[in-house]
Amino acid sequence: MRAESDDTGEEVSGVLVALADPIRRGLLDLLAELGEATATTLAEQFPVSRQAIVKHLAVLDAAGLVTGSRVGREVRYSLRPESLDAATRWMSSLAADWDRRLAAIKRTAEAAERDFT
């Protein structure tokens, strides 16, 4: 398996930690649907306080998954889906490594079966 650069590893780790929480995944889904929204609007859809939503949005922001922009007195949040790219590349690489390993096991097993019969 290839080693990741420290920057990429930290980026992937931040994304995976952020995605581990179901409320944060729900926030991403809702932002994907709405395009952008305030913490107040988002909090109306979840069984937690607005303050809790703001904390979840801060985690998503730190992971690079959302961005907040001030419009007057409000902060409007929107998705930054490009931040999923590093995590997607890492998962694809991991899957490819496992595919290669499983193919090698299959070849070994098939060869053993031919030799046995």
Side-chain angles (χ1 to χ4, degrees):
M1 191 163 146
R2 290 174 292 184
E4 299 177 60
S5 73
D6 286 343
D7 289 344
T8 302
E10 288 177 23
E11 183 179 0
V12 169
S13 293
V15 168
L16 295 177
V17 166
L19 294 175
D21 187 277
I23 290 179
R24 290 193 287 267
R25 290 192 307 270
L27 287 168
L28 293 176
D29 289 342
L30 192 54
L31 284 170
E33 181 183 321
L34 299 174
E36 71 174 17
T38 64
T40 301
T41 301
L42 294 167
E44 293 170 355
Q45 303 300 313
F46 294 92
V48 296
S49 68
R50 181 190 173 285
Q51 291 80 5
I53 293 298
V54 169
K55 288 180 182 181
H56 283 297
L57 289 166
V59 172
L60 293 170
D61 187 24
L65 295 169
V66 301
T67 187
S69 58
R70 188 163 287 282
V71 178
R73 292 176 48 194
E74 296 181 326
V75 176
R76 295 184 180 268
Y77 294 90
S78 59
L79 284 179
R80 292 183 56 206
E82 64 276 2
S83 296
L84 290 171
D85 290 347
T88 300
R89 284 191 305 275
W90 176 77
M91 287 187 271
S92 294
S93 174
L94 186 64
D97 287 344
W98 275 105
D99 287 345
R100 283 190 292 278
R101 290 176 182 154
L102 291 173
I105 291 169
K106 180 181 178 189
R107 286 190 302 274
T108 301
E110 289 171 344
E113 184 179 14
R114 282 191 303 274
D115 291 346
F116 185 69
T117 56

